[in-house]
C-alpha cells in the first residue's frame, strides 16, 4: 500500500508539471512570444502537442483520483472486516458463556437429584465452554462439583450409548484446548476415576 501511495504521488506531481508546461506553451503561442503568430505546420503541430499534453494530464489526473478512491474503499472494507471480526468474536464469547452457565446449572441440578452420570456430563460441557473463553470462569467451582461426583457415583453406572459417546467427545475436545495444561493433572485424575465407573446400557437410547 505504501508503494502504491508513492507511485500515486509521483504521478500526481508529474501530471501537474506536464499541465504547467502545456499551459506555458499555449500562452507563449497565444501571445506570440515565441513568434508563433503565423499558423504554420510547425505551429499547428506545437498546439496539437500542447493540447494532447493537457488531455493526457487530465486522463492521468483522473486515474490518480481513481487510485485514491480505490484506496479509500479498500480501507473502508478492511475496517468493516475488522469490526465484523470483533463482533463475531463477541458473539462467540457470549455463546460460550451461555453454554457454560447452562451446563453448570444443569450439572448442579443433577447433582442434587443424585443423577451422578448426568451431573458429570453437564459439568464436562460447562468446563469445555469455560476453557474456550478468553478468560475462563468458575473452573474451581466446576472441579468442586466433579469431586463430589467422583465421591458418590457408583460402579457400573449405566447410560445410553449416545450419552456415553457425548462424554467421550467432550473429553476429547477438552484435552485439545490450549488451556488444558492448567487443569491437566486434576482433570485427568477425576475424569479417569469417574469414567471407569460408567458402562453403556444398550437397552437405553
Amino acid at each position: 500500500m505504501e508503494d502504491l501511495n508513492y507511485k500515486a504521488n509521483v504521478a500526481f506531481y508529474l501530471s501537474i508539471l506536464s499541465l504547467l508546461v502545456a499551459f506555458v506553451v499555449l500562452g507563449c503561442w497565444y501571445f506570440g512570444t515565441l513568434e508563433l503568430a503565423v499558423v504554420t505546420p510547425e505551429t499547428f503541430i506545437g498546439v496539437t502537442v500542447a493540447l494532447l499534453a493537457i488531455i493526457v494530464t487530465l486522463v492521468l489526473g483522473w486515474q490518480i483520483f481513481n487510485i485514491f478512491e480505490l484506496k479509500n474503499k479498500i480501507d473502508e472494507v478492511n475496517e468493516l472486516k475488522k469490526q465484523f471480526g470483533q463482533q463475531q468474536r463477541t458473539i462467540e464469547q457470549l455463546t460460550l458463556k451461555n453454554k457454560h452457565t447452562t451446563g453448570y446449572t444443569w450439572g448442579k441440578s443433577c447433582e442434587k437429584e443424585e443423577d451422578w452420570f448426568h451431573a458429570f456430563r453437564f459439568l464436562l460441557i460447562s468446563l469445555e465452554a469455560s476453557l474456550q473463553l478468553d478468560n475462563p470462569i468458575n473452573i474451581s467451582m466446576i472441579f468442586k462439583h466433579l469431586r463430589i461426583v467422583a465421591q458418590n457415583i457408583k460402579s457400573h453406572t449405566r447410560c445410553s450409548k449416545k450419552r456415553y459417546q457425548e462424554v467421550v467427545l467432550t473429553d476429547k475436545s477438552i484435552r485439545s484446548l490450549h488451556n488444558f495444561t492448567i487443569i491437566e493433572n486434576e482433570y485427568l485424575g477425576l475424569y479417569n476415576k469417574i469414567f471407569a465407573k460408567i458402562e453403556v446400557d444398550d437397552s437405553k437410547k
Side-chain angles (χ1 to χ4, degrees), residues 5 44 49 66 78 84 100 114 143-144 183 189:
N5 289 335
F44 179 76
V49 170
N66 287 336
N78 289 336
F84 176 76
H100 157 72
E114 297 186 357
F143 274 101
K144 174 185 175 182
I183 64 164

Side-chain angles (χ1 to χ4, degrees), residues 88-138:
Q88 186 178 29
R89 182 63 179 172
T90 300
I91 292 172
E92 289 174 354
Q93 290 291 297
L94 289 174
T95 302
L96 288 170
K97 282 184 179 180
N98 182 62
K99 183 179 179 181
H100 157 72
T101 302
T102 302
Y104 184 69
T105 301
W106 277 103
K108 291 197 300 181
S109 177
C110 291
E111 178 187 309
K112 289 180 180 179
E113 296 177 4
E114 297 186 357
D115 184 353
W116 303 113
F117 169 75
H118 285 97
F120 175 54
R121 182 170 70 88
F122 282 117
L123 288 170
L124 287 186
I125 291 172
S126 178
L127 180 62
E128 177 194 22
S130 180
L131 288 175
Q132 293 179 74
L133 292 171
D134 292 336
N135 297 300
I137 54 178
N138 288 340

